[in-house]
């Protein structure tokens, strides 16, 4: 282990601390301990805090100061080196002050004493050049380095050294923003296996090193950082964005960043719609209930988060059409299962042979409901409403099946009514009318089972959706549907949807007649159009 020397100027005295650091096989340091900078910065901030009324015991002060002062006989020569090497004093903000004067000024209070830190790295006896870093926080860091190493690894140092007068062996860098990372980057110039050094670091620190290496023109370090970033896992979305932005910054400089970017971008010309369609097909064909349910939830959530994707070219329309193909396949399967369950001989079959058909019906309906949710989120479910409204054969078979086999189907009808009631679906009048004529009565017949057999069924939401859908029709259609509903409600009670709110609106429109003048105008307009024809 080698050592670095840390000297502090406080009350006219220089205090020295030796801190062990790691050394490469080549005999040079490769990484300063971050605790050195943290402790030093903390000590700088201490005098600015208000002092307590009672000073600490003397014994504690002596115990802390003895290792820093009395145990180091070389205090005076190092203090001389800190001042004479630079012939200037360093203010806490990294600026340069006037040359030091031999006279000692009056001793100020401790809390008003400015703190300066000088840290030395490297082997002064073997080096042929010094690099002095002036940090923003009052650091003066002196690096004993080798000119040959700097010229071999850094275009930045090559340019700076070429601009110097011959014979000068000291290079000063003002306003160094990240002293610690700068030192580590210079230390890495002495490492033959940088990957072994980087593997111990975090992604965040490697990104800082990459930025400094880019400023220094340290290409071998840049390539090692990119190799690290290509192989290491990225923890979360924020870290991924930082890596990508850092790597993209290098893309225009002719550096091979493609291996890193391949993690987030593919050069294969597969359409995103095709990939999503393949995922949906796998989910729809799954027979494992739990994993299928979880993946449906995940895919639906991801599609909602990226509701505008895929949105380039005609991919959105292509994707919607792919979903509709899956819907039609499910409807064909459902109709086939309904026919199978409605066969007269099926009623005489044992229970264990009936259950597979019932489970398959529930599975197909669940798939249809999932596809309907996807289309509704994409505002593309109007065509689904039209297709469902035209399933008269399926609705006819519905009444012939035991309720335990069929009631899941009414979930689709209920979801369509809710979507229309909320304005998520805007099918034309004929579709709305046909939907009510075809599927409202089957929904009423299954209503009791829906309430007790489906945990996700929300009675109030469904009833509001049915009522609002009815009220979008012409007044005479409202009347025929609501009067038919009234007969069912008076017989079944709570086992029938409660559409009283829609009934009240229809009543007001019909009997209170606030729109009598509008009605007269409509009749006159209709008769006028008929006469013209």
């Amino acid at each position: 282990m080698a050592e670095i020397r840390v000297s502090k100027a406080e009350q006219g005295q220089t205090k020295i601390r030796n801190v062990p650091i790691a050394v490469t096989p080549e005999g040079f340091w490769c990484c300063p301990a971050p605790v050195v900078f943290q402790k030093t910065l903390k000590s700088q901030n201490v005098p600015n805090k208000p002092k307590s009324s009672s000073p600490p015991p003397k014994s504690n002060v002596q115990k802390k100061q003895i290792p820093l002062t009395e145990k180091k006989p070389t205090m005076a020569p190092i203090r001389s080196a800190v001042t004479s090497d630079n012939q200037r004093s360093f203010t806490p903000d990294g600026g340069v002050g006037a040359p030091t004067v031999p006279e000692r000024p009056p001793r100020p209070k401790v809390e008003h004493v400015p703190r300066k830190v000088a840290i030395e790295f490297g082997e002064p006896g073997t080096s042929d050049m010094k690099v002095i870093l002036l940090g923003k926080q009052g650091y003066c860091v002196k690096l004993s380095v080798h000119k040959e190493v700097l010229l071999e690894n850094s275009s930045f140092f090559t340019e700076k050294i070429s601009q110097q007068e011959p014979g000068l062996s000291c290079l000063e860098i003002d306003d160094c923003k990240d002293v610690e990372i700068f030192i580590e980057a210079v230390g890495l110039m002495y490492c033959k296996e940088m990957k072994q050094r980087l593997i111990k670091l975090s992604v965040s620190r490697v990104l800082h090193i990459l930025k400094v290496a880019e400023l220094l023109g340290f290409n071998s370090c840049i390539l090692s950082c990119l190799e690290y970033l290509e192989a290491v896992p990225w923890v979360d979305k924020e870290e991924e964005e930082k890596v990508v932005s850092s790597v993209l910054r290098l893309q225009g400089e002719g550096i091979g960043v493609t291996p890193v970017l391949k993690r987030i971008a593919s050069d294969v010309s597969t359409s995103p719609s095709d990939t999503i369609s393949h995922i949906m097909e796998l989910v729809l064909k799954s027979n494992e209930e739990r994993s299928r349910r979880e993946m449906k939830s995940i895919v639906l959530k991801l599609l909602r988060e990226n509701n505008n994707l895929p949105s380039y070219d005609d991919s959105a329309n292509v994707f919607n059409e792919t979903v509709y193909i899956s819907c039609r396949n499910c409807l064909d399967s459902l109709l086939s299962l309904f026919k199978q369950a409605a066969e007269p001989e099926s009623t005489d079959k044992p229970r264990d042979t009936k259950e597979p058909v019932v489970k398959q019906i529930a599975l197909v309906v669940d798939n249809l409901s999932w596809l309907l949710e996807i289309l509704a989120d994409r505002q593309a479910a109007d065509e689904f409403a039209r297709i469902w409204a035209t399933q008269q054969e399926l609705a006819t078979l519905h009444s012939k099946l035991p309720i335990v086999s069929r009631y899941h189907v009414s979930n689709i009808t209920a979801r369509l009514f809710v979507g229309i009631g909320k304005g998520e679906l805007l099918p034309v009048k004929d579709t709305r009318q046909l939907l009510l004529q075809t599927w409202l009565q089957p929904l009423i017949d299954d209503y009791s089972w829906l309430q007790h057999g489906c945990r996700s069924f929300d009675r109030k939401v469904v009833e509001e959706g049915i009522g609002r859908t009815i009220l979008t029709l012409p007044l005479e259609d409202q009347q025929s549907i609501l009067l038919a509903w009234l007969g069912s409600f008076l017989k079944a009670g709570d086992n029938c949807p409660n559409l009283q709110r829609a009934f009240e609106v229809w009543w007001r429109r019909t009997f209170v007649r606030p729109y009598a003048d509008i009605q007269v105008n409509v009749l006159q307009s209709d008769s006028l159009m008929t006469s013209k024809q």
Side-chain angles (χ1 to χ4, degrees):
M1 294 291 288
E3 293 182 341
I4 62 173
R5 293 182 296 170
V6 181
S7 59
K8 298 182 182 179
E10 179 180 351
Q11 300 182 10
Q13 295 183 353
T14 303
K15 298 183 179 181
I16 305 145
R17 179 172 45 171
N18 293 334
V19 182
I21 60 172
V23 178
T24 69
E26 293 81 2
F28 194 79
W29 51 270
C30 67
C31 176
V35 70
V36 174
F37 295 97
Q38 295 169 3
K39 286 185 176 180
T40 312
L41 180 60
K42 184 177 179 181
S43 66
Q44 283 181 295
N45 295 331
V46 169
N48 297 327
K49 296 181 180 179
K51 280 186 133 186
S52 59
S53 57
S54 57
K58 288 185 177 180
S59 58
N60 293 341
V61 175
Q62 292 176 354
K63 188 176 293 185
K64 292 181 180 179
Q65 291 182 347
I66 286 173
L68 298 176
T69 57
E70 297 180 3
K71 291 188 177 182
K72 293 295 174 183
T74 59
M75 176 182 67
I78 291 178
R79 181 179 61 205
S80 174
V82 170
T83 56
S84 62
D85 280 352
N86 302 308
Q87 291 299 312
R88 62 187 73 196
S89 61
F90 300 102
T91 58
D93 61 352
V96 181
T100 56
V101 287
E103 294 82 2
R104 178 175 295 183
R107 184 173 183 178
K109 293 183 179 180
V110 174
E111 59 266 23
H112 296 145
V113 175
R115 304 268 180 133
K116 296 168 299 206
V117 181
I119 309 175
E120 294 185 15
F121 289 98
E123 298 291 340
T126 62
S127 65
D128 59 358
M129 187 171 185
K130 282 188 180 294
V131 175
I132 300 175
L133 306 177
L134 304 179
K136 280 188 172 183
Q137 297 171 325
Y139 295 123
C140 166
V141 181
K142 293 188 287 186
L143 310 180
S144 297
V145 294
H146 303 80
K147 184 181 294 186
E148 182 182 355
V149 174
L150 299 185
L151 294 174
E152 181 182 351
N153 291 281
S154 170
S155 60
F156 170 83
F157 281 120
T158 300
E159 181 181 355
K160 290 290 185 182
I161 293 173
S162 66
Q163 295 173 356
Q164 281 189 322
E165 296 180 10
L168 291 180
S169 61
C170 183
L171 181 63
E172 186 175 292
I173 300 175
D174 296 322
D175 196 20
C176 188
K177 293 181 179 179
D178 200 337
V179 174
E180 182 181 348
I181 301 298
F182 196 101
I183 295 170
E184 185 160 11
V186 174
L188 288 172
M189 294 179 185
Y190 289 81
C191 293
K192 291 182 178 179
E193 295 292 337
M194 275 186 277
K195 185 177 180 180
Q196 298 302 317
R197 170 61 196 159
L198 296 177
I199 201 171
K200 301 176 182 179
L201 305 180
S202 66
V203 172
S204 176
R205 190 167 182 89
V206 171
L207 288 176
H208 283 87
I209 293 174
L210 177 62
K211 186 175 181 180
V212 173
E214 182 186 356
L215 295 174
L216 292 177
F218 187 5
N219 288 336
S220 59
C221 182
I222 292 175
L223 294 176
S224 295
C225 289
L226 290 175
E227 289 178 4
Y228 168 92
L229 294 172
E230 188 275 331
V232 72
W234 305 336
V235 176
D236 51 25
K237 183 179 179 181
E238 182 180 356
E239 187 168 89
E240 177 178 311
E241 289 176 351
K242 290 179 180 178
V243 172
V244 173
S245 62
S246 299
V247 172
L248 286 176
R249 191 175 62 244
L250 299 169
Q251 195 171 25
E253 300 183 13
I255 299 173
V257 298
T258 303
V260 181
L261 296 179
K262 275 190 172 182
R263 189 184 293 191
I264 59 162
S266 174
D267 53 3
V268 180
S269 59
T270 304
S271 170
S273 296
D274 294 340
T275 304
I276 296 176
S277 299
H278 181 61
I279 293 171
M280 292 176 60
E281 183 181 358
L282 292 174
V283 174
L284 291 171
K285 290 182 177 180
S286 172
N287 291 320
E288 210 292 313
E289 182 178 356
R290 182 174 179 179
S291 59
R292 183 182 68 251
R293 184 172 61 251
E294 290 180 357
M295 287 310 303
K296 283 181 177 179
S297 177
I298 290 172
V299 172
L300 186 61
K301 177 179 73 73
L302 294 174
L303 287 173
R304 282 173 176 167
E305 290 176 355
N306 303 275
N307 207 21
N308 296 325
L309 297 176
S311 59
Y312 35 85
D313 299 330
D314 293 327
S315 296
N317 294 330
V318 172
F319 176 74
N320 292 342
E321 183 56 36
T322 303
V323 177
Y324 273 112
I325 292 173
S326 298
C327 289
R328 293 184 181 95
N329 292 335
C330 288
L331 282 171
D332 292 341
S333 299
L334 186 60
L335 181 59
S336 176
L337 290 169
F338 263 43
K339 289 178 178 179
Q340 182 179 344
E343 292 175 355
E345 59 271 15
S346 66
T347 57
D348 301 329
K349 291 181 180 179
R351 182 177 178 181
D352 57 347
T353 59
K354 291 181 184 179
E355 286 186 355
V357 177
V358 175
K359 288 182 178 179
Q360 288 177 32
I361 290 174
L363 172 59
V364 173
V365 172
D366 186 64
N367 288 341
L368 269 174
S369 299
W370 182 57
L371 295 171
L372 174 56
E373 287 296 335
I374 292 174
L375 291 170
D377 286 337
R378 298 175 67 83
Q379 300 176 352
D382 292 359
E383 178 64 15
F384 188 101
R386 188 196 66 79
I387 295 173
W388 187 250
T390 58
Q391 300 297 311
Q392 279 85 7
E393 185 178 5
L394 193 65
T396 301
L397 291 171
H398 179 275
S399 60
K400 299 179 181 180
L401 266 63
I403 192 170
V404 67
S405 304
R406 75 190 190 203
Y407 78 96
H408 295 286
V409 173
S410 293
N411 265 320
I412 297 175
T413 305
R415 178 64 183 90
L416 287 171
F417 286 142
V418 170
I420 295 172
K422 291 183 176 180
E424 298 172 349
L425 283 71
L426 298 175
V428 298
K429 182 196 72 174
D430 291 343
T431 297
R432 302 194 304 271
Q433 191 175 38
L434 186 59
L435 181 64
L436 286 161
Q437 290 175 356
T438 305
W439 288 109
L440 179 57
Q441 189 57 48
L443 174 61
I444 293 174
D445 296 340
D446 295 342
Y447 207 70
S448 176
W449 275 74
L450 288 171
Q451 292 181 75
H452 300 96
C454 299
R455 282 178 284 182
S456 60
F457 187 81
D458 190 329
R459 173 172 183 160
K460 291 184 178 180
V461 173
V462 172
E463 290 171 353
E464 186 175 10
I466 298 171
R468 289 183 174 182
T469 303
I470 294 171
L471 294 174
T472 63
L473 299 179
L475 193 61
E476 57 271 19
D477 293 324
Q478 298 176 33
Q479 177 174 321
S480 62
I481 294 173
L482 286 171
L483 289 179
W485 159 81
L486 182 59
S488 300
F489 181 70
L490 292 173
K491 292 178 182 178
D494 288 342
N495 292 330
C496 179
N498 191 333
L499 306 180
Q500 292 183 27
R501 293 183 63 182
F503 186 82
E504 291 174 4
V505 174
W506 165 79
W507 182 282
R508 174 176 54 79
R509 291 175 178 178
T510 302
F511 298 110
V512 180
R513 301 176 67 86
Y515 309 113
D517 295 338
I518 295 177
Q519 185 175 7
V520 171
N521 293 333
V522 170
L523 292 174
Q524 290 177 351
S525 177
D526 289 343
S527 61
L528 181 61
M529 291 179 64
T530 304
S531 63
K532 286 183 178 181
Q533 292 176 355

